[in-house]
Amino acid sequence: MKAEHFVGGVFRSDGRPFPLVSPVDGTEFGTVPEATREVVDDAVTAARAALTGPWGAPGGEPERAAALRRIADGIDARFAEFVDAEVADTGRPREFAETVDVPRAAGNFRAYADLLYGRPERSYTTPVPGWSVGTGQALNYTVRRPLGVVAVVSPWNLPLLLSTWKIAPALACGNAVVLKPSEETPSTATLLARVIADAGLPDGVFNVVHGHGAGAAGEFLTAHQGVDAIAFTGESATGAAIMRNAADHVTPVSFELGGKNPALVFADADLDAAVDGTVRSCFTHSGQICLCTERVYVERPIFDEFVARLAGRARALDGYGPMISAEHRDKVLSYYALARAEGATVVAGGGVPEFGDARDGGFHVEPTVLTGLPETARAVREEIFGPVCHVAPFDTEDEALRLANDSPYGLAATVWTRDLSRAHRVAPRVETGIVWVNCWNLRDLRTPFGGVKASGIGREGGEYSLDFFSEPVNVCVQI
């Protein structure tokens, strides 16, 4: 799959190429064009020109919904190509791409096509006050109009799923989109552009520019005065940099940022289910999902057994996938070394696996279980974004909540208990945007998704995304 820009309905490859590297074995398997400032300008200009046409006009919801369904059908028709591209870029297990990434991408477009039709708006009958001209009543009602040109900056960990999670509602609302995918995982963005071109959207409604972030395509796009809104998923530090760029033009932002997610395991939990769920929440995609658990708090009576079982499962894992890059692998390994220096006991993992095949040239690290660190340790407080968790005991419900909430982050949490009252009592007190009880990453696309504190601004999902990507306008008609 050749990565190309898609600007105003035209594929192009101008810009200095940089290598695309397989995280599985470290080999180069393609190149990506680095978008210049001129390429980004062209994309924003094309997007703004598309807004003068019928795409975002009032009453265009049926046509837009039909277009979204054509995009979903196009993803399904090229399912194997999307899977191949996602696996090549990310190194994740093929099963994950086949059951999560690509189906969810198509599902995002269908979900927002459906939501367009079920969305109510409010109206009010208003008495005309005595000081106003005329008498009788007025009718106030709300209509929504698109924001305009939306910059979507998507991450490398779930590139197709998370980009379409923003693109679909942005297009549904009648906006024009400029997507800047991660430089690590550009292939599915180019393939999506081909599907959208085949779906017959007007030229300029959807655009793709490739490249890096700071001082490059990402910064050129998010600081562009022609951009009307920014939707970003990624690291909190990058979000802060984008926010500074956006401030110059008072550009609205929607951010889903990092996390240091806690799990609370109570002594009355189904231990088998809690261990299984924690293995999934810590090690899926090698911990490279913003929702993954990195801090596990276990009630003391079951602490030793839980740690032993979790560590045994971690040692037995295979096929969990590499880190996305050599740089990220080195970052994760540096945290393993830091944890040791801070006094951690490495119960499982802590190093680099040896496979005896081509994978030894890739960017793999071992799934790792740590214990024994104080809550002030950097390895406990800072997001690592790898297959690692620290497990600590607690004695009371209040202590568990205090430990869970003592973090600059607040994205997601899990609670494991068979006590129904405790579940309903604890979950609302955890300072995160989403709390799973006796499960992990079970998602309904209609529900709000996002974080608090350093984990994000705003909410995505269902009507929450439609609210961000459109502007309410009040119309007042005196009767």
Side-chain angles (χ1 to χ4, degrees):
M1 182 67 207
K2 181 182 179 182
E4 293 178 293
H5 311 304
F6 184 60
V7 177
V10 177
F11 288 94
R12 47 197 277 193
S13 299
D14 39 333
R16 177 185 55 83
F18 60 90
L20 190 57
V21 177
S22 167
V24 174
D25 58 16
T27 59
E28 293 185 15
F29 67 97
T31 60
V32 187
E34 178 76 58
T36 62
R37 191 183 295 274
E38 289 71 26
V39 172
V40 174
D41 285 343
D42 289 349
V44 175
T45 299
R48 187 151 299 283
L51 295 173
T52 64
W55 176 253
E61 289 82 2
E63 289 79 10
R64 294 200 297 273
L68 294 186
R69 293 192 179 95
R70 291 196 300 273
I71 295 169
D73 291 343
I75 292 172
D76 288 342
R78 305 180 75 160
F79 188 91
E81 292 177 74
F82 275 102
V83 170
D84 289 344
E86 200 77 335
V87 170
D89 277 3
T90 65
R92 62 162 45 81
R94 189 174 188 87
E95 181 185 8
F96 195 97
E98 291 175 335
T99 59
V100 178
D101 292 311
V102 182
R104 269 287 303 275
N108 286 337
F109 286 103
R110 291 194 175 98
Y112 282 101
D114 292 342
L115 280 165
L116 276 179
Y117 284 101
R119 193 177 194 209
E121 295 293 355
R122 295 182 177 183
S123 64
Y124 303 92
T125 301
T126 308
V128 175
W131 52 261
S132 181
V133 176
T135 58
Q137 296 178 325
L139 176 65
N140 280 276
Y141 63 92
T142 301
V143 295
R144 302 192 75 93
R145 63 185 176 206
L147 296 177
V149 178
V150 174
V152 173
V153 182
S154 59
W156 49 258
N157 60 329
L158 300 169
L160 180 64
L161 190 162
L162 291 179
S163 64
T164 58
W165 183 231
K166 303 176 192 301
I167 294 165
L171 293 179
C173 292
N175 298 285
V177 171
V178 181
L179 169 66
K180 205 297 282 183
S182 168
E183 64 274 13
E184 307 281 4
T185 53
S187 300
T188 50
T190 303
L191 188 54
L192 180 63
R194 297 194 180 282
V195 167
I196 289 178
D198 291 342
L201 275 67
D203 292 346
V205 166
F206 179 73
N207 308 271
V208 178
V209 294
H210 293 289
H212 293 77
E219 184 173 341
F220 301 155
L221 180 61
T222 57
H224 201 291
Q225 63 180 2
V227 167
D228 299 301
I230 301 169
F232 168 74
T233 295
E235 291 183 328
S236 298
T238 305
I242 292 174
M243 201 169 185
R244 286 190 288 271
N245 290 336
D248 288 340
H249 307 295
V250 199
T251 306
V253 297
S254 174
F255 286 166
E256 194 264 283
L257 305 176
K260 190 73 174 177
N261 304 311
L264 303 181
V265 184
F266 289 91
D268 64 4
D270 180 328
L271 192 56
D272 290 338
V275 171
D276 286 344
T278 305
V279 169
R280 287 186 62 237
S281 72
C282 292
F283 304 124
T284 295
H285 193 24
S286 292
Q288 296 172 112
I289 299 175
C290 58
L291 303 170
C292 282
T293 302
E294 290 194 12
R295 298 180 294 139
V296 183
Y297 300 104
V298 182
E299 197 165 6
R300 199 173 298 275
I302 62 169
F303 178 79
D304 290 339
E305 182 179 359
F306 183 92
V307 170
R309 292 176 64 170
L310 181 66
R313 293 285 298 277
R315 295 187 200 101
L317 285 174
D318 188 23
Y320 46 87
M323 300 294 94
I324 190 63
S325 64
E327 180 183 13
H328 189 58
R329 174 202 58 195
D330 293 346
K331 172 196 169 184
V332 173
L333 290 175
S334 75
Y335 271 101
Y336 288 3
L338 174 64
R340 289 188 178 92
E342 291 179 315
T345 298
V346 181
V347 186
V352 176
E354 294 183 2
F355 299 101
D357 55 33
R359 289 176 293 173
D360 289 336
F363 311 134
H364 303 266
V365 299
E366 292 178 328
T368 297
V369 178
L370 308 171
T371 61
L373 288 174
E375 290 298 301
T376 55
R378 286 180 56 198
V380 175
R381 297 197 64 79
E382 298 175 11
E383 182 182 35
I384 300 174
F385 216 62
V388 57
C389 65
H390 179 261
V391 192
F394 68 85
D395 293 300
T396 68
E397 188 176 294
D398 285 343
E399 181 189 10
L401 283 163
R402 178 182 59 78
L403 292 167
N405 292 336
D406 183 19
S407 173
Y409 296 101
L411 183 55
T414 55
V415 176
W416 298 92
T417 179
R418 282 187 279 207
D419 185 328
L420 183 62
S421 294
R422 170 179 282 138
H424 287 294
R425 186 171 60 243
V426 168
R429 296 175 62 194
V430 181
E431 296 172 359
T432 58
I434 186 168
V435 181
W436 283 290
V437 178
N438 297 331
C439 59
W440 175 74
N441 203 15
L442 179 59
R443 292 281 295 119
D444 185 318
L445 301 188
R446 298 168 295 183
T447 60
F449 178 82
V452 300
K453 298 188 271 190
S455 289
I457 297 173
R459 291 293 181 270
E460 297 178 299
E463 292 189 11
Y464 302 91
S465 288
L466 297 178
D467 284 343
F468 174 75
F469 288 115
S470 61
E471 193 77 50
V473 179
N474 183 75
V475 177
C476 179
V477 179
Q478 184 166 330
I479 299 171

